[in-house]
Amino acid sequence: MASASNSPVSSSPFQPHWNLYPRTYVVPKISFPLLDHLDGDLTKDVWKDVPFSDVFDDIRGATDSPAEDRPNPQCRTRFKAVWDETHLYIGAILQSDFETQAHFAERNAPIFQKDSDFEVFVDMFGSCHHYKELEVNAINTPWNLMLDKPYDDGGVEHSGRIAKPGDDLYYEVEHQKTATKVISGKLNDPKNPATWSIEVALSYRDLLAHVKGKEHFVAKSGSMLRINFSRVEKRGAINWTWQPQIVWDPHRRRYAGYVAMHLPDSWGYFVLGGQHHARENNPNDLVAPKDPSWPGRLAAMNIYYAQKAYSQQNGGTYATTVTELTDLVDAIILEPFRVEINLTKEGYVASLAGNPDGSIVTVRQDRLLSIAQIDQVTSSTG
């Protein structure tokens, strides 16, 4: 989990990077014991002054979404969030003008395959590895899973759906709670579509399972994490998200939207605030702190996507210099950085120096992103 920074973000040459910064929600801290009162009801006093997020939109973003695929205003999806020392709490309302499907009743069932589905994705340290996913339907059936890395990078599901305790692929939460409530209409009734709400308590202990460096985490004001939300309807024909899934496309030489939630480098940010934070009309109206490592992260992912395309074009080999990737990268994003690429047995490691916060950002062929301060690099190599 990164620490927030209020350092200027308008100075050249990093303005193009900050222009591509994803959505941010400032999460207020609470002292109310919400964990003991989860019932799916967002009219409780604890939620009263907490602002809603932006309304979810097509997963691809406005540029790549056909008009007919954009969400109907009557199917609004929004969330709120608060936190305490043990849990991150999400509350959401899902409106609908079509049938709300809710059939799966067994824990860890593949809910998205049939039911109306609310999903939360969390990458605590923004490494793109060992991130967690929760899916819940309107009758409060959860499916928890962990991805050791994205599917496109050879990642596999770890869950109680496919493995038993003690197996390598087993993952289960121990401190999570969820609750749902039908606000209006009826489930599984096309003539009377249901609007429903959900409350989720995500335990930091569960979110940090298998994550390198988890022992250094302490929930505190100013901490950050990468997160996104998805609403899936009609067996995946509809995918609406809070932060569009937009990444660099080396073939089209532009940032493009994809129907793919497992692009953790494209997710938004939560900033843990104080008890006075985010109590405004809209969290996006606040001047939220930004991740100081963002320019390096964006540039590193430029290298990642370019190397992936280069490998496809060159029989599985990777470039050893940025010059070889000239036609596949966003030159403006890479310009401020000193890039070194070293081939490894598995693929490569690209290191980028020159980040405005003084950090060194590295990325591997399997999308693993790492952030280290120069003093950390020196102490580990000296």
Side-chain angles (χ1 to χ4, degrees):
M1 179 178 282
S3 294
S5 171
N6 286 304
S7 58
V9 298
S10 59
S11 59
S12 179
F14 296 105
Q15 186 58 45
H17 305 74
W18 298 119
N19 289 342
L20 293 166
Y21 199 79
R23 284 179 171 169
T24 300
Y25 185 100
V26 181
V27 187
K29 186 178 181 182
I30 56 171
S31 55
F32 178 80
L34 184 53
L35 187 65
D36 300 327
H37 296 81
L38 248 64
D39 57 7
D41 184 1
L42 300 192
T43 65
K44 291 190 289 290
D45 285 346
V46 68
W47 292 113
K48 182 178 179 181
D49 297 322
V50 180
F52 274 110
S53 69
D54 289 335
V55 177
F56 291 16
D57 208 335
D58 186 87
I59 189 172
R60 293 162 291 185
T63 303
D64 291 299
S65 305
E68 61 271 18
D69 290 346
R70 300 181 69 79
N72 184 316
Q74 301 303 314
C75 294
R76 284 158 50 99
T77 309
R78 300 179 295 166
F79 70 82
K80 299 182 174 190
V82 293
W83 71 280
D84 62 22
E85 285 77 8
T86 61
H87 287 77
L88 180 66
Y89 302 92
I90 311 296
I93 295 179
L94 293 82
Q95 296 174 285
S96 187
D97 62 355
F98 50 77
E99 183 177 4
T100 301
Q101 297 276 352
H103 303 283
F104 287 106
E106 182 178 352
R107 184 180 183 84
N108 291 325
I111 296 166
F112 74 95
Q113 293 183 3
K114 187 173 184 180
D115 289 356
S116 300
D117 179 23
F118 181 74
E119 304 179 354
V120 187
F121 298 78
V122 181
D123 184 356
M124 290 293 283
F125 293 154
S127 70
C128 300
H129 279 210
H130 296 105
Y131 59 89
K132 311 308 189 294
E133 176 184 353
L134 166 66
E135 300 189 14
V136 186
N137 66 7
I139 55 175
N140 197 32
T141 303
W143 175 21
N144 285 95
L145 58 153
M146 177 184 75
L147 270 296
D148 55 352
K149 51 189 172 183
Y151 290 116
D152 285 350
D153 301 294
V156 293
E157 172 189 341
H158 292 63
S159 76
R161 183 181 77 91
I162 65 168
K164 297 179 180 179
D167 294 342
D168 290 342
L169 295 181
Y170 182 77
Y171 169 77
E172 186 55 278
V173 296
E174 298 179 2
H175 310 282
Q176 172 185 288
K177 286 188 178 181
T178 63
T180 59
K181 179 181 179 180
V182 176
I183 299 174
S184 64
K186 294 182 178 180
L187 300 177
N188 307 311
D189 185 348
K191 296 182 180 180
N192 191 12
T195 290
W196 56 289
S197 59
I198 181 171
E199 285 182 307
V200 175
L202 298 172
S203 162
Y204 303 127
R205 291 179 63 183
D206 294 331
L207 294 174
L208 287 164
H210 306 283
V211 175
K212 183 179 180 181
K214 63 182 179 181
E215 64 276 5
H216 302 302
F217 169 78
V218 177
K220 61 182 180 179
S221 180
S223 295
M224 292 182 168
L225 55 86
R226 302 300 299 273
I227 191 166
N228 208 357
F229 301 85
S230 175
R231 177 179 177 179
V232 178
E233 301 281 356
K234 299 185 178 181
R235 301 184 180 184
I238 294 175
N239 292 267
W240 300 332
T241 61
W242 170 55
Q243 166 64 32
Q245 294 293 95
I246 298 174
V247 298
W248 173 251
D249 184 331
H251 300 292
R252 289 185 280 178
R253 297 188 59 79
R254 69 177 180 87
Y255 295 90
Y258 293 87
V259 182
M261 279 305 300
H262 293 273
L263 302 174
D265 46 294
S266 71
W267 298 347
Y269 279 90
F270 266 13
V271 179
L272 302 188
Q275 292 184 332
H276 63 287
H277 285 128
R279 305 223 173 224
E280 303 288 343
N281 291 329
N282 190 321
N284 301 289
D285 292 336
L286 302 176
V287 180
K290 289 181 167 57
D291 178 1
S293 69
W294 171 255
R297 287 177 177 273
L298 183 66
M301 291 312 301
N302 241 261
I303 296 291
Y304 165 82
Y305 288 110
Q307 283 279 43
K308 192 171 185 178
Y310 183 93
S311 177
Q312 292 170 348
Q313 297 171 359
N314 293 275
T317 62
Y318 291 105
T320 58
T321 66
V322 173
T323 302
E324 296 174 79
L325 300 173
T326 298
D327 294 331
L328 298 170
V329 296
D330 184 343
I332 294 176
I333 296 300
L334 285 182
E335 185 176 7
F337 295 94
R338 299 182 301 278
V339 181
E340 180 179 333
I341 302 174
N342 293 304
L343 297 184
T344 66
K345 182 178 180 181
E346 294 78 18
Y348 68 89
V349 175
S351 300
L352 293 86
N355 210 49
D357 69 341
S359 63
I360 302 293
V361 183
T362 63
V363 67
R364 298 191 324 204
Q365 76 288 336
D366 60 358
R367 207 187 308 235
L368 178 66
L369 264 176
S370 300
I371 313 295
Q373 296 301 321
I374 291 178
D375 56 351
Q376 293 175 318
V377 175
T378 302
S379 64
S380 65
T381 59

PDB file of all heavy atoms in Angstrom, residues 244-265:
ATOM      1  N   PRO A 244     -12.890   2.781 -15.671  1.00  0.00           N
ATOM      2  CA  PRO A 244     -12.796   2.019 -16.932  1.00  0.00           C
ATOM      3  C   PRO A 244     -11.474   1.267 -17.029  1.00  0.00           C
ATOM      4  O   PRO A 244     -10.448   1.710 -16.505  1.00  0.00           O
ATOM      5  CB  PRO A 244     -12.892   3.112 -18.004  1.00  0.00           C
ATOM      6  CG  PRO A 244     -13.579   4.248 -17.327  1.00  0.00           C
ATOM      7  CD  PRO A 244     -13.130   4.216 -15.899  1.00  0.00           C
ATOM      8  N   GLN A 245     -11.501   0.131 -17.711  1.00  0.00           N
ATOM      9  CA  GLN A 245     -10.310  -0.702 -17.876  1.00  0.00           C
ATOM     10  C   GLN A 245      -9.547  -0.235 -19.111  1.00  0.00           C
ATOM     11  O   GLN A 245      -9.652  -0.808 -20.192  1.00  0.00           O
ATOM     12  CB  GLN A 245     -10.720  -2.169 -17.990  1.00  0.00           C
ATOM     13  CG  GLN A 245     -11.350  -2.725 -16.713  1.00  0.00           C
ATOM     14  CD  GLN A 245     -10.338  -2.804 -15.587  1.00  0.00           C
ATOM     15  OE1 GLN A 245     -10.238  -1.905 -14.760  1.00  0.00           O
ATOM     16  NE2 GLN A 245      -9.585  -3.878 -15.523  1.00  0.00           N
ATOM     17  N   ILE A 246      -8.748   0.801 -18.915  1.00  0.00           N
ATOM     18  CA  ILE A 246      -8.029   1.442 -20.016  1.00  0.00           C
ATOM     19  C   ILE A 246      -6.532   1.283 -19.808  1.00  0.00           C
ATOM     20  O   ILE A 246      -6.005   1.649 -18.751  1.00  0.00           O
ATOM     21  CB  ILE A 246      -8.392   2.932 -20.110  1.00  0.00           C
ATOM     22  CG1 ILE A 246      -9.892   3.093 -20.411  1.00  0.00           C
ATOM     23  CG2 ILE A 246      -7.559   3.619 -21.180  1.00  0.00           C
ATOM     24  CD1 ILE A 246     -10.370   4.531 -20.377  1.00  0.00           C
ATOM     25  N   VAL A 247      -5.845   0.723 -20.811  1.00  0.00           N
ATOM     26  CA  VAL A 247      -4.393   0.545 -20.756  1.00  0.00           C
ATOM     27  C   VAL A 247      -3.790   0.886 -22.113  1.00  0.00           C
ATOM     28  O   VAL A 247      -4.493   1.051 -23.105  1.00  0.00           O
ATOM     29  CB  VAL A 247      -4.014  -0.903 -20.358  1.00  0.00           C
ATOM     30  CG1 VAL A 247      -4.537  -1.239 -18.960  1.00  0.00           C
ATOM     31  CG2 VAL A 247      -4.532  -1.913 -21.379  1.00  0.00           C
ATOM     32  N   TRP A 248      -2.457   0.962 -22.148  1.00  0.00           N
ATOM     33  CA  TRP A 248      -1.753   1.282 -23.389  1.00  0.00           C
ATOM     34  C   TRP A 248      -1.876   0.137 -24.383  1.00  0.00           C
ATOM     35  O   TRP A 248      -1.638  -1.023 -24.055  1.00  0.00           O
ATOM     36  CB  TRP A 248      -0.285   1.556 -23.103  1.00  0.00           C
ATOM     37  CG  TRP A 248       0.565   1.743 -24.327  1.00  0.00           C
ATOM     38  CD1 TRP A 248       1.516   0.885 -24.811  1.00  0.00           C
ATOM     39  CD2 TRP A 248       0.536   2.847 -25.227  1.00  0.00           C
ATOM     40  NE1 TRP A 248       2.085   1.395 -25.950  1.00  0.00           N
ATOM     41  CE2 TRP A 248       1.501   2.604 -26.238  1.00  0.00           C
ATOM     42  CE3 TRP A 248      -0.218   4.031 -25.285  1.00  0.00           C
ATOM     43  CZ2 TRP A 248       1.730   3.496 -27.277  1.00  0.00           C
ATOM     44  CZ3 TRP A 248       0.016   4.916 -26.336  1.00  0.00           C
ATOM     45  CH2 TRP A 248       0.973   4.645 -27.305  1.00  0.00           C
ATOM     46  N   ASP A 249      -2.278   0.470 -25.613  1.00  0.00           N
ATOM     47  CA  ASP A 249      -2.369  -0.505 -26.700  1.00  0.00           C
ATOM     48  C   ASP A 249      -1.234  -0.212 -27.687  1.00  0.00           C
ATOM     49  O   ASP A 249      -1.300   0.775 -28.433  1.00  0.00           O
ATOM     50  CB  ASP A 249      -3.724  -0.389 -27.401  1.00  0.00           C
ATOM     51  CG  ASP A 249      -3.920  -1.446 -28.474  1.00  0.00           C
ATOM     52  OD1 ASP A 249      -2.917  -1.897 -29.073  1.00  0.00           O
ATOM     53  OD2 ASP A 249      -5.070  -1.830 -28.726  1.00  0.00           O
ATOM     54  N   PRO A 250      -0.177  -1.033 -27.704  1.00  0.00           N
ATOM     55  CA  PRO A 250       0.970  -0.743 -28.572  1.00  0.00           C
ATOM     56  C   PRO A 250       0.659  -0.873 -30.057  1.00  0.00           C
ATOM     57  O   PRO A 250       1.343  -0.261 -30.886  1.00  0.00           O
ATOM     58  CB  PRO A 250       2.010  -1.780 -28.132  1.00  0.00           C
ATOM     59  CG  PRO A 250       1.216  -2.894 -27.544  1.00  0.00           C
ATOM     60  CD  PRO A 250       0.033  -2.244 -26.899  1.00  0.00           C
ATOM     61  N   HIS A 251      -0.357  -1.654 -30.399  1.00  0.00           N
ATOM     62  CA  HIS A 251      -0.696  -1.825 -31.812  1.00  0.00           C
ATOM     63  C   HIS A 251      -1.429  -0.603 -32.358  1.00  0.00           C
ATOM     64  O   HIS A 251      -1.176  -0.161 -33.479  1.00  0.00           O
ATOM     65  CB  HIS A 251      -1.547  -3.087 -31.992  1.00  0.00           C
ATOM     66  CG  HIS A 251      -0.864  -4.343 -31.537  1.00  0.00           C
ATOM     67  ND1 HIS A 251       0.223  -4.868 -32.190  1.00  0.00           N
ATOM     68  CD2 HIS A 251      -1.122  -5.165 -30.468  1.00  0.00           C
ATOM     69  CE1 HIS A 251       0.622  -5.968 -31.555  1.00  0.00           C
ATOM     70  NE2 HIS A 251      -0.174  -6.169 -30.515  1.00  0.00           N
ATOM     71  N   ARG A 252      -2.335  -0.065 -31.543  1.00  0.00           N
ATOM     72  CA  ARG A 252      -3.072   1.128 -31.965  1.00  0.00           C
ATOM     73  C   ARG A 252      -2.394   2.420 -31.516  1.00  0.00           C
ATOM     74  O   ARG A 252      -2.843   3.508 -31.869  1.00  0.00           O
ATOM     75  CB  ARG A 252      -4.504   1.067 -31.419  1.00  0.00           C
ATOM     76  CG  ARG A 252      -5.368   0.015 -32.094  1.00  0.00           C
ATOM     77  CD  ARG A 252      -6.799   0.083 -31.614  1.00  0.00           C
ATOM     78  NE  ARG A 252      -6.976  -0.591 -30.315  1.00  0.00           N
ATOM     79  CZ  ARG A 252      -8.141  -0.649 -29.659  1.00  0.00           C
ATOM     80  NH1 ARG A 252      -9.204  -0.030 -30.166  1.00  0.00           N
ATOM     81  NH2 ARG A 252      -8.231  -1.300 -28.510  1.00  0.00           N
ATOM     82  N   ARG A 253      -1.328   2.268 -30.739  1.00  0.00           N
ATOM     83  CA  ARG A 253      -0.561   3.402 -30.234  1.00  0.00           C
ATOM     84  C   ARG A 253      -1.449   4.430 -29.529  1.00  0.00           C
ATOM     85  O   ARG A 253      -1.353   5.636 -29.760  1.00  0.00           O
ATOM     86  CB  ARG A 253       0.245   4.062 -31.363  1.00  0.00           C
ATOM     87  CG  ARG A 253       1.295   3.145 -31.980  1.00  0.00           C
ATOM     88  CD  ARG A 253       2.209   3.875 -32.954  1.00  0.00           C
ATOM     89  NE  ARG A 253       2.918   4.979 -32.326  1.00  0.00           N
ATOM     90  CZ  ARG A 253       3.999   4.833 -31.561  1.00  0.00           C
ATOM     91  NH1 ARG A 253       4.497   3.622 -31.342  1.00  0.00           N
ATOM     92  NH2 ARG A 253       4.581   5.886 -31.028  1.00  0.00           N
ATOM     93  N   ARG A 254      -2.309   3.935 -28.683  1.00  0.00           N
ATOM     94  CA  ARG A 254      -3.141   4.813 -27.865  1.00  0.00           C
ATOM     95  C   ARG A 254      -3.637   4.036 -26.654  1.00  0.00           C
ATOM     96  O   ARG A 254      -3.488   2.802 -26.582  1.00  0.00           O
ATOM     97  CB  ARG A 254      -4.332   5.346 -28.661  1.00  0.00           C
ATOM     98  CG  ARG A 254      -5.398   4.309 -29.037  1.00  0.00           C
ATOM     99  CD  ARG A 254      -6.549   4.998 -29.757  1.00  0.00           C
ATOM    100  NE  ARG A 254      -7.620   4.089 -30.145  1.00  0.00           N
ATOM    101  CZ  ARG A 254      -8.644   3.742 -29.352  1.00  0.00           C
ATOM    102  NH1 ARG A 254      -8.720   4.206 -28.110  1.00  0.00           N
ATOM    103  NH2 ARG A 254      -9.592   2.930 -29.795  1.00  0.00           N
ATOM    104  N   TYR A 255      -4.214   4.735 -25.708  1.00  0.00           N
ATOM    105  CA  TYR A 255      -4.797   4.095 -24.540  1.00  0.00           C
ATOM    106  C   TYR A 255      -6.213   3.673 -24.898  1.00  0.00           C
ATOM    107  O   TYR A 255      -7.026   4.498 -25.344  1.00  0.00           O
ATOM    108  CB  TYR A 255      -4.763   5.046 -23.342  1.00  0.00           C
ATOM    109  CG  TYR A 255      -3.344   5.338 -22.926  1.00  0.00           C
ATOM    110  CD1 TYR A 255      -2.651   6.421 -23.485  1.00  0.00           C
ATOM    111  CD2 TYR A 255      -2.667   4.516 -22.043  1.00  0.00           C
ATOM    112  CE1 TYR A 255      -1.328   6.671 -23.156  1.00  0.00           C
ATOM    113  CE2 TYR A 255      -1.338   4.746 -21.702  1.00  0.00           C
ATOM    114  CZ  TYR A 255      -0.679   5.835 -22.266  1.00  0.00           C
ATOM    115  OH  TYR A 255       0.631   6.060 -21.944  1.00  0.00           O
ATOM    116  N   ALA A 256      -6.506   2.382 -24.705  1.00  0.00           N
ATOM    117  CA  ALA A 256      -7.764   1.817 -25.165  1.00  0.00           C
ATOM    118  C   ALA A 256      -8.463   1.066 -24.042  1.00  0.00           C
ATOM    119  O   ALA A 256      -7.828   0.568 -23.113  1.00  0.00           O
ATOM    120  CB  ALA A 256      -7.521   0.879 -26.350  1.00  0.00           C
ATOM    121  N   GLY A 257      -9.790   0.972 -24.150  1.00  0.00           N
ATOM    122  CA  GLY A 257     -10.584   0.272 -23.153  1.00  0.00           C
ATOM    123  C   GLY A 257     -10.825  -1.170 -23.547  1.00  0.00           C
ATOM    124  O   GLY A 257     -10.974  -1.493 -24.735  1.00  0.00           O
ATOM    125  N   TYR A 258     -10.870  -2.041 -22.544  1.00  0.00           N
ATOM    126  CA  TYR A 258     -11.042  -3.480 -22.782  1.00  0.00           C
ATOM    127  C   TYR A 258     -12.121  -4.056 -21.867  1.00  0.00           C
ATOM    128  O   TYR A 258     -12.308  -3.589 -20.742  1.00  0.00           O
ATOM    129  CB  TYR A 258      -9.730  -4.224 -22.531  1.00  0.00           C
ATOM    130  CG  TYR A 258      -8.640  -3.891 -23.512  1.00  0.00           C
ATOM    131  CD1 TYR A 258      -7.799  -2.813 -23.292  1.00  0.00           C
ATOM    132  CD2 TYR A 258      -8.481  -4.629 -24.679  1.00  0.00           C
ATOM    133  CE1 TYR A 258      -6.798  -2.495 -24.207  1.00  0.00           C
ATOM    134  CE2 TYR A 258      -7.490  -4.316 -25.593  1.00  0.00           C
ATOM    135  CZ  TYR A 258      -6.653  -3.248 -25.354  1.00  0.00           C
ATOM    136  OH  TYR A 258      -5.668  -2.931 -26.262  1.00  0.00           O
ATOM    137  N   VAL A 259     -12.808  -5.087 -22.363  1.00  0.00           N
ATOM    138  CA  VAL A 259     -13.743  -5.847 -21.528  1.00  0.00           C
ATOM    139  C   VAL A 259     -12.916  -6.897 -20.802  1.00  0.00           C
ATOM    140  O   VAL A 259     -12.870  -8.063 -21.173  1.00  0.00           O
ATOM    141  CB  VAL A 259     -14.854  -6.480 -22.374  1.00  0.00           C
ATOM    142  CG1 VAL A 259     -15.854  -7.220 -21.479  1.00  0.00           C
ATOM    143  CG2 VAL A 259     -15.576  -5.426 -23.198  1.00  0.00           C
ATOM    144  N   ALA A 260     -12.221  -6.465 -19.760  1.00  0.00           N
ATOM    145  CA  ALA A 260     -11.308  -7.336 -19.029  1.00  0.00           C
ATOM    146  C   ALA A 260     -11.044  -6.700 -17.665  1.00  0.00           C
ATOM    147  O   ALA A 260     -10.350  -5.674 -17.590  1.00  0.00           O
ATOM    148  CB  ALA A 260      -9.997  -7.520 -19.788  1.00  0.00           C
ATOM    149  N   MET A 261     -11.584  -7.309 -16.603  1.00  0.00           N
ATOM    150  CA  MET A 261     -11.374  -6.751 -15.270  1.00  0.00           C
ATOM    151  C   MET A 261      -9.983  -7.055 -14.725  1.00  0.00           C
ATOM    152  O   MET A 261      -9.513  -6.383 -13.809  1.00  0.00           O
ATOM    153  CB  MET A 261     -12.427  -7.288 -14.295  1.00  0.00           C
ATOM    154  CG  MET A 261     -13.763  -6.580 -14.377  1.00  0.00           C
ATOM    155  SD  MET A 261     -13.683  -4.776 -14.159  1.00  0.00           S
ATOM    156  CE  MET A 261     -12.981  -4.631 -12.522  1.00  0.00           C
ATOM    157  N   HIS A 262      -9.318  -8.066 -15.259  1.00  0.00           N
ATOM    158  CA  HIS A 262      -8.036  -8.486 -14.706  1.00  0.00           C
ATOM    159  C   HIS A 262      -6.868  -7.733 -15.340  1.00  0.00           C
ATOM    160  O   HIS A 262      -5.915  -8.318 -15.855  1.00  0.00           O
ATOM    161  CB  HIS A 262      -7.896 -10.005 -14.828  1.00  0.00           C
ATOM    162  CG  HIS A 262      -8.879 -10.731 -13.970  1.00  0.00           C
ATOM    163  ND1 HIS A 262      -8.638 -11.050 -12.655  1.00  0.00           N
ATOM    164  CD2 HIS A 262     -10.140 -11.162 -14.235  1.00  0.00           C
ATOM    165  CE1 HIS A 262      -9.695 -11.663 -12.139  1.00  0.00           C
ATOM    166  NE2 HIS A 262     -10.622 -11.741 -13.083  1.00  0.00           N
ATOM    167  N   LEU A 263      -6.981  -6.413 -15.285  1.00  0.00           N
ATOM    168  CA  LEU A 263      -5.920  -5.493 -15.669  1.00  0.00           C
ATOM    169  C   LEU A 263      -5.687  -4.598 -14.450  1.00  0.00           C
ATOM    170  O   LEU A 263      -6.071  -3.424 -14.427  1.00  0.00           O
ATOM    171  CB  LEU A 263      -6.331  -4.648 -16.885  1.00  0.00           C
ATOM    172  CG  LEU A 263      -6.724  -5.400 -18.158  1.00  0.00           C
ATOM    173  CD1 LEU A 263      -7.246  -4.431 -19.209  1.00  0.00           C
ATOM    174  CD2 LEU A 263      -5.542  -6.195 -18.697  1.00  0.00           C
ATOM    175  N   PRO A 264      -5.072  -5.126 -13.394  1.00  0.00           N
ATOM    176  CA  PRO A 264      -4.987  -4.382 -12.133  1.00  0.00           C
ATOM    177  C   PRO A 264      -4.228  -3.072 -12.227  1.00  0.00           C
ATOM    178  O   PRO A 264      -4.432  -2.180 -11.398  1.00  0.00           O
ATOM    179  CB  PRO A 264      -4.297  -5.362 -11.178  1.00  0.00           C
ATOM    180  CG  PRO A 264      -3.651  -6.385 -12.054  1.00  0.00           C
ATOM    181  CD  PRO A 264      -4.497  -6.484 -13.285  1.00  0.00           C
ATOM    182  N   ASP A 265      -3.366  -2.936 -13.227  1.00  0.00           N
ATOM    183  CA  ASP A 265      -2.658  -1.673 -13.405  1.00  0.00           C
ATOM    184  C   ASP A 265      -3.574  -0.553 -13.863  1.00  0.00           C
ATOM    185  O   ASP A 265      -3.183   0.623 -13.850  1.00  0.00           O
ATOM    186  CB  ASP A 265      -1.515  -1.846 -14.407  1.00  0.00           C
ATOM    187  CG  ASP A 265      -1.938  -2.605 -15.666  1.00  0.00           C
ATOM    188  OD1 ASP A 265      -2.262  -3.802 -15.549  1.00  0.00           O
ATOM    189  OD2 ASP A 265      -1.940  -2.002 -16.763  1.00  0.00           O
TER     190      ASP A 265
END
